Amino acid sequence: MNILGIETSCDDTSVAIIECCFGEVNQILSSVVSSQIKLHAPFGGVVPNLAARAHLENIKPVFNQALIKANNPKIDLIAVTIGPGLIPSLLVGVNFAKALAYNLNKPIIGINHLEGHLYANWVKECGRLSLPHHVGGLASHISQTFPALCLIVSGGHTQLILMKDHGQYQLLGETRDDAAGEAFDKVAKLLGLGYPGGPIISKRAESGNPDALNLPRPMLNSNDFDFSFSGLKTAVRYEIKKEKKLTNKYINDMAASFEQAVVDVLISKTIKAAKDYNVKSVMISGGVAANKKLREEMTKRVKKELSGIELRIPDISFCTDNAAMIATVGCYKKDIKGDWQKIEASANLRLVA
Ligand code: KG4
Ligand code: ZN
């Protein structure tokens, strides 16, 4: 069966088509992402109404391109992000998907964006990991994957989730203030590096010394799995204030020191949770999972401290927002499909209550 995914929750307009065969080969037939970075960069962040207008302009051409790339396949199910996200942005994708479902007379399913990020870890192999029987509409199977610990690190969220099986989640901890990606974006702004901050900080950090500045590791030793990044951002602001001039060397050193502080906290908490909950696999996802240092250090530390545990990290292109991950969730929930009239966007939709 072919699933068409639609994602417009923030500033990426994306449409993807995946072939989903339970127990058989699964492949991405097309995945098109149109980024609005250039549009929002002058404002230092996403402007919701501009984002919605750009989604409106882009959705049809992106949809057409996805169809052409996939060779105009038959579509069996439409999967669309319904939240969390910016309402003006979400509404464009949701209304487009509903109109499509009505016109083509196809079933439609509303997908939680965070669940999409989790399933970026299955984008390329969801066929391989499924078994032919379903429980409660979800594909279930016996494998070494579950229980899995998933670290979601994006621009809007930082959560540690225990995934007991497909579709079964327990929230272990989350950020009490800023998300990890948000902290990257704010620190980049303080350093005058532009938007989005993550990729620029990561690039500058490559030429900097991660030990140059002594920054805090907030909540590193707290007795829970929550995070906090706003104090770290404030510490960066105070450090910067002390400098007369932000030289290139200083910016590189600050970028490296900040990145190291974030990565240290994210990895230590993930490793501790993996041990406490005796998981079989660890996964990371979301835009910050594209960070090279996080990917490399997580790989090293899981190997060293969690022997025998599988680590999954999506391809970089599936860490930031994309519709292939949304269609992939649809692959696992294909039996829970609804009527187009019942699909609604929800800005604050939660994955786990
Ligand atoms: O998942 P995503 O595309 O959108 C949300 O759902 O929020 O994540 C975007 C976030 C931004 O804050 C961006 O700065 C961050 O991911 N990001 C990175 C990197 N690439 C994107 N953060 C650190 N290092 C990167 N290489
Ligand atoms: Zn996202």
Side-chain angles (χ1 to χ4, degrees):
M1 101 185 268
N2 296 326
I3 304 178
L4 179 101
I6 298 176
E7 157 64 41
T8 64
S9 67
C10 189
D11 60 343
D12 291 299
T13 317
S14 180
V15 177
I17 303 169
I18 67 161
E19 187 187 67
C20 173
C21 317
F22 273 40
E24 286 173 37
V25 180
N26 169 78
Q27 55 173 325
I28 299 173
L29 301 180
S30 64
S31 172
V32 182
V33 182
S34 168
S35 162
Q36 301 174 10
I37 284 178
K38 279 194 187 137
L39 175 70
H40 301 290
F43 303 96
V46 180
V47 183
N49 287 346
L50 289 184
R53 201 176 297 174
H55 282 309
L56 266 177
E57 280 167 18
N58 294 337
I59 188 86
K60 187 79 196 309
V62 167
F63 168 72
N64 285 342
Q65 228 180 309
L67 281 182
I68 292 166
K69 279 194 176 175
N71 253 334
N72 277 312
K74 181 174 148 281
I75 302 297
D76 302 295
L77 173 66
I78 296 159
V80 60
T81 303
I82 52 168
L86 303 169
I87 271 292
S89 292
L90 286 165
L91 283 173
V92 177
V94 167
N95 286 332
F96 187 83
K98 285 168 80 161
L100 212 56
Y102 173 76
N103 260 302
L104 302 176
N105 196 20
K106 296 291 173 196
I108 181 170
I109 177 169
I111 305 289
N112 183 305
H113 181 75
L114 296 181
E115 199 168 15
H117 276 306
L118 285 183
Y119 274 82
N121 283 291
W122 275 269
V123 160
K124 284 204 167 148
E125 48 183 349
C126 74
R128 186 175 72 77
L129 287 164
S130 336
L131 263 198
H133 79 276
H134 306 162
V135 175
L138 290 163
S140 180
H141 63 91
I142 302 150
S143 82
Q144 289 305 300
T145 306
F146 300 115
L149 179 71
C150 310
L151 173 70
I152 301 181
V153 268
S154 69
H157 295 84
T158 300
Q159 296 189 336
L160 265 172
I161 288 174
L162 184 68
M163 192 173 173
K164 295 169 187 166
D165 200 341
H166 287 291
Q168 290 181 23
Y169 310 109
Q170 182 185 337
L171 180 67
L172 302 183
E174 64 185 330
T175 185
R176 295 188 184 176
D177 39 58
D178 292 352
E182 194 180 350
F184 270 95
D185 295 336
K186 287 177 174 170
V187 165
K189 211 171 194 176
L190 292 172
L191 291 170
L193 295 178
Y195 177 85
I200 315 168
I201 295 243
S202 174
K203 185 92 201 93
R204 299 295 292 249
E206 282 175 19
S207 317
N209 172 9
D211 300 318
L213 292 133
N214 189 15
L215 295 175
R217 268 66 176 156
M219 300 189 71
L220 184 69
N221 298 313
S222 66
N223 231 352
D224 54 30
F225 297 112
D226 282 348
F227 302 90
S228 164
F229 293 108
S230 95
L232 175 58
K233 171 201 66 195
T234 307
V236 171
R237 179 180 306 156
Y238 283 133
E239 282 293 334
I240 291 175
K241 260 193 181 168
K242 290 188 215 158
E243 292 300 297
K244 284 204 184 77
K245 187 169 179 275
L246 300 187
T247 62
N248 262 331
K249 182 181 179 315
Y250 180 85
I251 291 174
N252 293 346
D253 283 348
M254 179 55 91
S257 302
F258 165 76
E259 182 182 63
Q260 189 66 56
V262 175
V263 165
D264 282 352
V265 177
L266 291 176
I267 297 182
S268 294
K269 293 241 162 180
T270 303
I271 301 268
K272 187 170 183 306
K275 285 181 180 163
D276 282 10
Y277 287 87
N278 209 8
V279 298
K280 298 274 195 316
S281 62
V282 171
M283 304 177 191
I284 57 176
S285 53
V288 182
N291 183 272
K292 201 168 154 224
K293 188 162 205 97
L294 178 62
R295 298 168 80 91
E296 287 174 359
E297 293 208 0
M298 186 71 94
T299 305
K300 270 191 225 150
R301 285 191 54 188
V302 166
K303 206 170 173 187
K304 194 169 156 215
E305 296 170 54
L306 300 172
S307 85
I309 288 181
E310 180 198 7
L311 173 67
R312 288 200 198 182
I313 308 178
D315 279 356
I316 287 182
S317 56
F318 297 120
C319 287
T320 44
D321 292 347
N322 66 87
M325 67 186 194
I326 303 301
T328 301
V329 182
C331 183
Y332 283 86
K333 290 193 172 179
K334 66 182 179 60
D335 295 341
I336 312 176
K337 55 206 171 198
D339 197 308
W340 64 268
Q341 280 141 314
K342 294 193 183 121
I343 301 285
E344 268 183 33
S346 167
N348 299 315
L349 190 69
R350 289 202 49 106
L351 182 57
V352 195

